[in-house]
Amino acid sequence: MDKPDERNRLDAMAQGIIGRPLDRPDGSAKTSGVAPYAAEYPIDCAEGVLVLATISRGEVVEIESAPVLAMPGVLAVIADPRMITRSAQGGAGESPVREIHKVDYHGQPVALVVAETFEQARDAATRLRIAYRADDPAKVPLDSEDGRASHEPFGEPVQQGDLDAAMRDAAHAVDVTYTTEGHASAAMEPHASIAEWDGNTLTAHSSLQMLKYNQKELADALGLEPEQVRLIAPYVGGGFGSKLGISAELTAAAVAAIELGRPVRVVMSRQQVFQTVMRRSETRQRIRLAADAEGRLDGFGHEAWVSNLPGEEFAEPVTQASEFLYRGAHRTLRIDLARIHRMTAGSVRAPGEAVGMQCLEAAMDELALVSGIDPVELRLRNIPEEHPSQGLPYSSRRLAECLKIGAERFGWDGSDRRPLQRREGEWWIGTGMATACRVHNLNEAQARVTLSTDGTAMVESDMTDIGTGTYAILGQIAGEMLGLPPEKILVQLGDTRYPPGSGSGGSWGAASTGSAVFAACEAIREQIADQLGCDEADLTLKDGEAITGNRRIPFTELLKADLTETGHFKNGGIDEQFAIAMYGAFFVEMGVNAYTGETRVRRMTGAFGLGRALNEKTATSQCLGGMVWGIGSALTEALMFDPRDGHLVNHDLAEYHVPVNADVPALDVVLVDERDPAGSPLQAKGVGELGICGAAGAIANAIYHACGVRVRSFPITPDKLLAELPDL
């Protein structure tokens, strides 16, 4: 894709299939327990349990395996150099670190115990004695005054004009620092793998998001060719970034299967998932906003300090949306990275904007307060006409419409933003709002479509469905293009024997793999048009029939053999010509208990412009899920590490507090109609992560409006409010 696709072919098909709120075809299998997840295949397996390091930095000196090997049922204690010690970053396509004897963080896998039963393996793993040589763990500098000196610049900073002068000369200015704690993906299905080795090919059932990369990562770790690795993942119980790359349980299971010559299953416990797999980095963010008397930004600064393990090439892209969201000729954007010894920091639920937007939007509320401008109006006044630093035009952008439609739907009243204006019994009540924004990404993808002589079709891709509705959406695209009802289309996903899709990550799955399905269907339409002697544009496929001129021929009569095409989609530089993103707005009403500091989300509205909605139900569901994550980021979620030895204290769902039913009111989602020809040939963009980006900022702003306490440290827990609540 090297230019906008203005054809709008999906609307032109006029089938009425695309966009409809159709149920997910995999839904009944999942809710009834029929769908097999990674650990559930009926394979006779030996069972493996990982053993994790109890130091934060150092090396393994000795593993006393003999006593454990003498225990009943124990088959092996494995500490093989092919076993990885960190999760692979999303899209790496190569093995992460494999130095199994070098310890870089508390909870790092250092061995695998394999036994006939899970209980035997678990018991043996707890009894395995390991001797270490421990080094002092690196300090975490984010909270110290001289923290900047402990960091290194990451990437290319943006430096335009003179921000210091803009701040000095501004009619209204804000210079604030916010912090956010680390997050865990906390997917419902733990990381699990079953590996089988036949002497030449390694077959693994595993919980993974991006198989075309994962295949290469596992092959690299094992010293195999990618063609010798088959990955199978038709059902994935959530990922949120934690399964973008392979994790330790997969390579451990694979090595054990090769060594023992029998299938091996390794399932991480919930605690091991938290201790070993990807975390989102904690952040410290300084935001500077300089505005004229009318509230128009002249200066914009966003600097962030984040962390990761030594050797990792990923830093939380905190300033990602700040590059293009608001105006400001004088700009400073910068990310600094500290090297610390905690588990790998990587992509977690909208990396970058999820934490960057919540702090930026809270700071924008502070600017609205000092300038006396309605927060909605302040944002409307600061929508740029072009990318502030690159000068690129925006593709379709419905930000202003989302702000206005969301405000009307919510019943926004920005006339009096002074806090402590409304009290109901023990509760202070307030409202807040924020912008939503998420970059749009495209990834190379392939999909194979077959139109059969019996009037059915099949779609095949190694694309995964992590709960996002991929099965439904790809079927709807094929149905719209081929004139078949969705029940006559079989979608086959999650197997590296199928063509390589985009994978589920970065909100690019539907637009990228969907575009590959679209391209394959166009090629099939061309074949049919050639057979009928007409132009493809003059061909109508509807209700299982081909129609051109005065001819109407059922597929069952027309096709003498199955028609198969593989669509191949890739980004040809369209994102170098346009600033392409998804936009929206959040509005929320909060209650703050005047005595306890307890917070409650009373109601919340999100209005989102995301290009064409390919399935209204699944798109709405993704927005709802993002808003729930926003509630967690605002109020409850925080990884807590013991500063003495670096171990994760709250390493399960009992102590890492994700929002539950009682925390979430009935949420209201509005999909603002949009087509974006630069977004994809489908004129659709991503949706999966948009709903979280900025949501926590709206909640923070509503808390301030309710009780007058501005908390600049997320999550906003009652202890941070109690000391500052007004006297009753």
Side-chain angles (χ1 to χ4, degrees):
M1 188 172 188
D2 57 3
K3 61 183 178 181
D5 192 331
E6 304 280 0
R7 298 175 299 161
N8 197 6
R9 297 221 66 191
L10 289 177
D11 282 343
M13 294 295 122
Q15 309 283 358
I17 297 172
I18 207 71
R20 285 173 53 196
L22 299 183
D23 291 342
R24 289 160 48 176
D26 52 314
S28 60
K30 290 179 175 178
T31 55
S32 64
V34 175
Y37 289 87
E40 299 177 336
Y41 286 84
I43 299 171
D44 183 18
C45 295
E47 305 289 345
V49 171
L50 289 169
V51 180
L52 308 186
T54 56
I55 63 171
S56 290
R57 189 180 183 189
E59 64 180 358
V60 174
V61 174
E62 182 182 6
I63 299 176
E64 297 182 23
S65 57
V68 165
L69 289 170
M71 295 175 65
V74 175
L75 300 172
V77 175
I78 299 174
D80 191 283
R82 292 170 291 182
M83 294 166 59
I84 64 174
T85 58
R86 308 177 184 182
S87 296
Q89 296 286 355
E94 62 183 13
S95 173
V97 173
R98 285 168 287 177
E99 297 173 310
I100 192 72
H101 294 291
K102 178 184 177 185
V103 177
D104 279 324
Y105 62 94
H106 198 292
Q108 174 185 305
V110 291
L112 179 77
V113 176
V114 186
E116 294 289 353
T117 70
F118 168 72
E119 289 77 12
Q120 290 170 333
R122 180 180 60 184
D123 186 32
T126 62
R127 297 171 186 267
L128 185 66
R129 298 186 63 182
I130 300 177
Y132 299 97
R133 181 192 62 75
D135 297 329
D136 289 335
K139 301 296 183 183
V140 181
L142 296 181
D143 296 329
S144 63
E145 289 298 322
D146 61 347
R148 182 193 295 254
S150 301
H151 290 66
E152 59 193 47
F154 186 87
E156 290 295 326
V158 174
Q159 188 68 54
Q160 295 176 209
D162 189 339
L163 180 58
D164 291 333
M167 291 290 291
R168 183 178 61 248
D169 299 337
H172 308 290
V174 166
D175 185 348
V176 290
T177 297
Y178 280 80
T179 62
T180 66
E181 298 295 341
H183 295 154
S185 294
M188 185 179 293
E189 181 195 15
H191 291 245
S193 297
I194 296 174
E196 300 177 82
W197 172 250
D198 67 3
N200 180 68
T201 301
L202 191 286
T203 301
H205 299 81
S206 191
S207 190
L208 298 164
Q209 294 180 229
M210 302 177 70
L211 298 191
K212 70 178 180 183
Y213 298 112
N214 307 144
Q215 181 185 38
K216 295 175 182 177
E217 292 155 6
L218 182 57
D220 186 31
L222 299 176
L224 301 174
E225 295 299 320
E227 296 75 20
Q228 292 178 273
V229 172
R230 180 188 180 190
L231 299 178
I232 302 171
Y235 301 105
V236 181
F240 311 110
S242 69
K243 300 170 183 174
L244 292 176
I246 63 171
S247 296
E249 97 292 338
L250 175 54
T251 55
V255 169
I258 292 171
E259 292 298 312
L260 297 176
R262 59 185 290 188
V264 176
R265 172 174 26 231
V266 180
V267 181
M268 288 194 194
S269 68
R270 184 68 65 187
Q271 291 80 5
Q272 288 179 332
V273 171
F274 271 81
Q275 292 170 297
T276 301
V277 183
M278 291 287 183
R279 66 179 172 94
R280 191 201 303 279
S281 171
E282 66 292 307
T283 76
R284 180 161 57 89
Q285 303 177 45
R286 182 188 183 191
I287 299 170
R288 288 180 284 174
L289 305 172
D292 63 18
E294 302 300 319
R296 291 180 174 84
L297 287 167
D298 186 44
F300 186 102
H302 194 172
E303 299 166 273
W305 292 263
V306 300
S307 69
N308 209 338
L309 279 167
E312 291 296 322
E313 298 181 359
F314 175 90
E316 183 78 22
V318 178
T319 61
Q320 201 159 237
S322 296
E323 294 185 15
F324 60 86
L325 182 58
Y326 295 127
R327 58 183 296 165
H330 302 277
R331 306 178 73 80
T332 296
L333 304 176
R334 178 188 176 105
I335 296 175
D336 285 61
L337 177 65
R339 299 298 184 178
I340 66 173
H341 289 265
R342 293 178 180 173
M343 76 285 288
T344 310
S347 299
V348 176
R349 300 187 235 134
E353 291 96 330
V355 286
M357 284 285 295
Q358 70 188 56
C359 298
L360 170 59
E361 289 303 299
M364 284 291 286
D365 198 66
E366 297 198 50
L367 180 62
L369 185 68
V370 299
S371 64
I373 300 172
D374 179 325
V376 173
E377 178 59 29
L378 177 68
R379 287 161 174 82
L380 289 170
R381 293 181 187 181
N382 283 290
I383 297 176
E385 295 191 7
E386 61 180 21
H387 193 296
S389 24
Q390 298 177 8
L392 295 175
Y394 292 92
S395 66
S396 175
R397 180 182 55 168
R398 301 298 301 276
L399 174 55
E401 290 82 355
C402 289
L403 288 164
K404 294 173 182 176
I405 291 170
E408 181 178 3
R409 178 85 162 234
F410 181 80
W412 174 259
D413 181 5
S415 60
D416 188 352
R417 299 305 298 162
R418 293 175 301 165
L420 303 168
Q421 297 299 300
R422 182 180 167 194
R423 178 79 177 265
E424 294 180 5
E426 296 183 359
W427 297 86
W428 293 107
I429 310 299
T431 57
M433 61 78 54
T435 293
C437 181
R438 173 69 176 157
V439 293
H440 173 59
N441 298 301
L442 293 171
N443 193 18
E444 186 174 1
Q446 295 183 43
R448 183 166 55 236
V449 177
T450 299
L451 181 60
S452 299
T453 56
D454 63 1
T456 64
M458 181 166 61
V459 177
E460 297 169 299
S461 175
D462 81 353
M463 176 67 181
T464 52
D465 188 327
I466 61 175
T468 47
T470 310
Y471 282 100
I473 291 166
L474 298 188
Q476 285 177 264
I477 295 169
E480 190 72 39
M481 293 294 291
L482 299 179
L484 291 173
E487 58 268 22
K488 288 196 173 184
I489 298 172
L490 176 63
V491 179
Q492 302 271 57
L493 301 176
D495 191 327
T496 50
R497 290 187 175 178
Y498 302 146
S502 63
S504 297
S507 297
W508 62 41
S512 299
T513 303
S515 293
V517 173
F518 173 86
C521 291
E522 279 198 309
I524 288 175
R525 291 174 59 88
E526 290 281 1
Q527 285 198 52
I528 295 174
D530 288 345
Q531 187 172 336
L532 294 175
C534 67
D535 290 336
E536 188 272 330
D538 297 328
L539 175 67
T540 298
L541 303 182
K542 191 173 182 64
D543 299 329
E545 296 180 322
I547 306 167
T548 180
N550 58 1
R551 290 183 292 170
R552 182 186 293 264
I553 308 172
F555 292 161
T556 53
E557 297 178 15
L558 176 67
L559 302 181
K560 305 307 179 185
D562 294 349
L563 301 182
T564 299
E565 292 283 356
T566 297
H568 189 175
F569 172 80
K570 63 193 301 185
N571 181 357
I574 189 70
D575 52 358
E576 298 173 4
Q577 304 169 43
F578 296 90
I580 311 172
M582 299 80 75
Y583 298 91
F586 301 101
F587 296 84
V588 64
E589 180 179 279
M590 293 293 300
V592 179
N593 191 286
Y595 297 96
T596 67
E598 177 188 350
T599 56
R600 290 184 185 174
V601 182
R602 292 161 57 100
R603 60 191 180 99
M604 190 173 186
T605 294
F608 304 103
L610 40 91
R612 182 197 304 275
L614 299 171
N615 180 312
E616 181 185 349
K617 181 178 291 187
T618 59
T620 299
S621 178
Q622 288 293 288
C623 294
L624 290 170
M627 291 162 72
V628 172
W629 286 129
I631 293 172
S633 185
L635 302 178
T636 63
E637 293 191 53
L639 293 176
M640 299 179 181
F641 294 87
D642 189 321
R644 296 169 298 180
D645 63 5
H647 85 273
L648 179 62
V649 177
N650 57 335
H651 54 13
D652 55 37
L653 290 173
E655 299 299 333
Y656 180 84
H657 296 153
V658 297
V660 297
N661 287 353
D663 300 313
V664 182
L667 305 177
D668 180 31
V669 168
V670 185
L671 299 182
V672 178
D673 189 51
E674 182 185 23
R675 301 285 186 270
D676 192 339
S680 66
L682 311 174
Q683 300 194 341
K685 295 183 283 193
V687 58
E689 296 163 309
L690 177 62
I692 187 177
C693 300
I699 292 171
N701 298 338
I703 289 173
Y704 174 78
H705 186 233
C707 67
V709 182
R710 176 68 70 179
V711 180
R712 298 193 181 100
S713 172
F714 290 98
I716 303 174
T717 47
D719 58 298
K720 297 176 183 177
L721 289 167
L722 268 174
E724 303 295 329
L725 287 173
D727 295 332
L728 300 176

